[in-house]
């Protein structure tokens, strides 16, 4: 067995890409990489019983050259006795309609067509000759695409320059869902040599030589200069970095999943407890947040590190602060943590439960240090007129601000931009109508410790009553 064939077979086996009797839709553009992919897949037909179909997507962008490519693929597949479907799409029109680049539109339409081709094949095999159900338990059809190690290097660099995290630095994954990439461990030079040795021709896409697309600039300009002037082994080093990033990313995703299972309360949204969350390393916190955002949003394309940072910053902010996120999601700082989701968090069962506030009175002594915990406050006990009560807001409530003026609590919450749905749920420590402390937010200026304070009331807010029980 030749070197390239052996390496591809090892990749297929290592990542469990194919099983005996599998059906595979091969994406065939007619370029060197996809011709090599199709030819290698055909070598698996007899020993593994693999069935193959090919799909060529005509983008409608390159006129006669694109027509030539489609004719070439049709002829190639006939020679390999592989059923072939030529599909024409309007990339330019789709790009204009969706407000994306032609490069992005082409990629989207290609993968959409491949998924549809695979699904149609599954439907065929589920339907018997008479139109009835033949087999409802058939395995999913695989989709094989021809990315090689050079594409991997380009992807890692592209993601690096775009500010990606570890997930982007791992580059292209070997398999995702039904998609497999058997050539990902072989380079372009090996592919070209293998094709030449086997007398296989291919077509050239003229747009690959232009510098119009970002990936082309990385491939044709940037990477060659790095290898010439920085390190001839740069591509290999970048690939090793990608493997390390993939291992680290997988480990951290598993750690985040375990943390979420242990600590996050889920209903229609998700509730992150702030105290234990802040005690974790920043990298784990970021993975927890991103995992929850992906789960709640149902997608990840529009999510970035900036959104993760916005959510993480809420843990150190005051109750009621909110950030809006992609996919209609919001993150809201509550008394004990951060709520993530859509709609009204107050509608969720258990949301807004009043905390237990432990109180004790002691004499103030010289040199005593004020508590630094945001959920522990000192009040001048002799200024309290009644019995402090933990409750939510009521009509007539007010708070005294730094200028010693009274301000209606309702107006204070509006001015502080506390979301309407949260205002009736924020816990308060109140002395009659005078709000001593908006718990987790701020206390009334009137009750602050001064030089004449003799006795101190210490109030420490702990868990909510429901979670305590």
């Amino acid at each position: 067995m030749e070197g390239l064939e052996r390496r591809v077979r090892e990749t297929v086996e290592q990542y469990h890409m194919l099983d005996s009797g599998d059906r595979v839709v091969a994406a065939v553009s007619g370029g060197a990489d996809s011709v090599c992919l199709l030819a290698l897949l055909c070598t698996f037909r007899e020993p593994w019983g693999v069935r193959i179909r090919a799909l060529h997507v005509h983008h409608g962008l390159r006129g006669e050259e694109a027509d030539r490519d489609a004719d070439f693929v049709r002829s190639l597949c006939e020679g390999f006795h592989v059923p072939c479907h030529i599909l024409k799409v309007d990339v330019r029109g789709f790009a204009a309609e969706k407000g994306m680049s032609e490069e992005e539109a082409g990629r989207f339409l290609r993968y959409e067509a491949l998924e549809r081709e695979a699904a149609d094949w599954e439907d065929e095999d589920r339907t018997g000759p008479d139109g009835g159900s033949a087999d409802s338990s058939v395995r999913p059809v695989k989709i094989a695409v021809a990315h090689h190690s050079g594409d991997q290097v380009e992807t890692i660099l592209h993601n690096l320059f775009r500010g990606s995290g570890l997930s982007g630095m791992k580059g292209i994954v070997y398999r995702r869902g039904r998609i497999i990439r058997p050539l990902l461990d072989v380079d372009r030079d090996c592919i070209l040599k293998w094709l030449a040795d086997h007398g296989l021709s291919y077509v050239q896409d003229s747009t690959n030589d232009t510098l119009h697309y970002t990936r082309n600039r990385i491939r044709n300009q940037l990477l060659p200069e790095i290898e010439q002037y920085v390190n001839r082994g740069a591509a290999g080093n970048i690939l090793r970095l990608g493997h390390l990033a993939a291992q680290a990313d997988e480990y951290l995703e598993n750690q985040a999943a375990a943390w979420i299972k242990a600590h996050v309360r889920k209903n229609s949204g998700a509730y992150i407890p702030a105290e234990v969350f802040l005690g974790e390393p920043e990298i784990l916190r970021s993975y927890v947040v991103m995992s929850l955002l992906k789960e709640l949003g149902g997608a990840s394309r529009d999510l970035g590190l900036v959104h993760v940072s916005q959510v993480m910053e809420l843990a150190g902010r005051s109750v009621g602060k909110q950030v809006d996120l992609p996919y209609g999601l919001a993150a809201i700082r509550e008394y004990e943590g951060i709520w993530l989701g859509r709609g009204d968090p107050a509608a969720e069962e258990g949301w807004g439960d009043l905390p237990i506030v432990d109180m004790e009175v002691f004499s103030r002594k010289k040199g005593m240090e004020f508590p630094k915990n945001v959920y522990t406050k000192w009040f001048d006990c002799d200024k309290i007129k009644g019995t402090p009560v933990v409750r939510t807001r009521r009509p007539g409530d007010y708070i005294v601000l730094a200028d010693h003026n009274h301000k209606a609590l309702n107006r204070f919450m509006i001015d502080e931009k506390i979301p309407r749905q949260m205002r009736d749920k924020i816990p308060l420590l109140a002395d009659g109508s005078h709000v001593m402390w908006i718990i987790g937010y701020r206390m009334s200026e009137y009750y602050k410790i001064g030089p004449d304070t003799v006795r101190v009331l210490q109030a420490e807010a702990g868990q909510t009553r429901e979670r305590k029980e």
Side-chain angles (χ1 to χ4, degrees), residues 162-163 272 277 285-294 297 299-315 317 322-332 338-340:
R162 292 173 60 203
I272 304 173
F277 182 67
R285 283 183 276 140
S286 69
Y287 268 75
V288 166
V289 171
M290 180 59 86
S291 177
L292 291 171
L293 291 178
K294 288 179 180 178
S300 61
R301 180 177 177 80
D302 296 331
L303 295 171
L305 294 177
V306 62
H307 305 113
V308 172
S309 296
Q310 287 175 334
V311 176
M312 289 170 62
E313 288 170 3
L314 278 181
R317 301 184 68 187
Q322 174 175 336
V323 293
D324 294 321
L325 302 161
Y327 308 119
L329 297 173
I332 303 175
I338 300 167
W339 179 86
L340 291 172

Side-chain angles (χ1 to χ4, degrees), residues 25 113-122 141-143 178:
V25 174
L114 287 164
E115 290 285 352
R116 187 164 56 247
E117 191 78 9
D120 289 346
W121 195 352
E122 290 170 352
V141 171
K142 305 285 181 60
I143 295 171
R178 66 166 87 236

Side-chain angles (χ1 to χ4, degrees), residues 70-83:
D71 292 338
F72 173 83
V73 171
R74 187 180 290 110
S75 176
L76 177 74
C77 291
E78 288 175 358
F80 280 122
H81 305 291
V82 171

